[in-house]
Amino acid sequence: MTPDDVKIAQEVITSITTGDRPFMVLFCIIMLFCIYMAIKVMAYVKGVNESHQEQINGMNENMKEQREEHYKMVAEERIRADKREEKLFANMDKNTEQIENVATTLKEVQFNFTSLENKVTENFDYLLSEIDNVKTQVTAKSNENK
């Protein structure tokens, strides 16, 4: 550098540092920094927003899959419940039929017991009357023998 170049540079620096220019330069630098930082913050916010949107979409898809699985599970459970109910009613019908048969059998047994009781009573009465007849015959014979 020549002394003239140094002198020109010195004059430029002196002219920049005097008056309002240093504050304007500083203000411009600060404004450029603020604009740069605003762009960075906006990019970060946009990235976070996109990330949240992806998470929400993923959650919605998972919820949809869970709803479908739950619906299938409920439908299968309903089918199993219907089959159990069908078997239950079939067994209830069989039980009802068996109970009716038992009731019929009990009526027949009761009738047979009643008729057996009547026959036993008739036979007992017949035996009593025969015993009385034998007693009277024995008494009559013993009175004749005396």
Side-chain angles (χ1 to χ4, degrees):
M1 274 183 124
T2 63
D4 288 333
D5 290 336
V6 172
K7 199 174 195 178
I8 292 173
Q10 207 175 25
E11 286 176 9
V12 168
I13 290 173
T14 306
S15 71
I16 289 175
T17 57
T18 59
D20 291 339
R21 286 187 187 157
F23 293 109
M24 281 187 3
V25 169
L26 186 60
F27 180 74
C28 287
I29 291 171
I30 291 173
M31 285 304 291
L32 290 174
F33 178 75
C34 287
I35 291 171
Y36 174 76
M37 288 309 292
I39 290 171
K40 287 290 188 181
V41 168
M42 290 301 289
Y44 173 75
V45 168
K46 185 177 179 182
V48 168
N49 187 24
E50 289 174 358
S51 172
H52 285 262
Q53 195 63 33
E54 289 174 8
Q55 287 178 350
I56 289 172
N57 289 340
M59 286 173 47
N60 285 338
E61 188 149 330
N62 287 339
M63 286 173 53
K64 181 180 176 183
E65 290 174 6
Q66 286 179 351
R67 272 191 231 117
E68 289 173 1
E69 289 175 8
H70 180 71
Y71 176 76
K72 288 177 185 176
M73 183 182 70
V74 167
E76 290 172 0
E77 184 62 32
R78 185 65 202 160
I79 289 170
R80 285 195 299 267
D82 289 343
K83 287 180 181 177
R84 282 193 309 266
E85 186 178 354
E86 222 173 271
K87 287 179 183 178
L88 176 67
F89 281 121
N91 288 336
M92 284 177 61
D93 289 340
K94 287 179 185 177
N95 287 346
T96 303
E97 184 178 326
Q98 289 174 351
I99 289 172
E100 287 173 353
N101 290 339
V102 167
T104 303
T105 304
L106 285 175
K107 284 179 184 176
E108 290 174 7
V109 166
Q110 183 181 10
F111 176 75
N112 290 337
F113 271 148
T114 304
S115 93
L116 178 64
E117 183 183 0
N118 289 338
K119 286 180 183 177
V120 167
T121 304
E122 287 174 13
N123 288 337
F124 185 73
D125 290 341
Y126 175 74
L127 281 175
L128 279 177
S129 68
E130 285 297 316
I131 289 173
D132 285 340
N133 284 341
V134 168
K135 275 185 185 179
T136 53
Q137 287 176 0
V138 168
T139 311
K141 279 187 180 182
S142 74
N143 284 340
E144 283 178 13
N145 286 338
K146 285 189 174 179

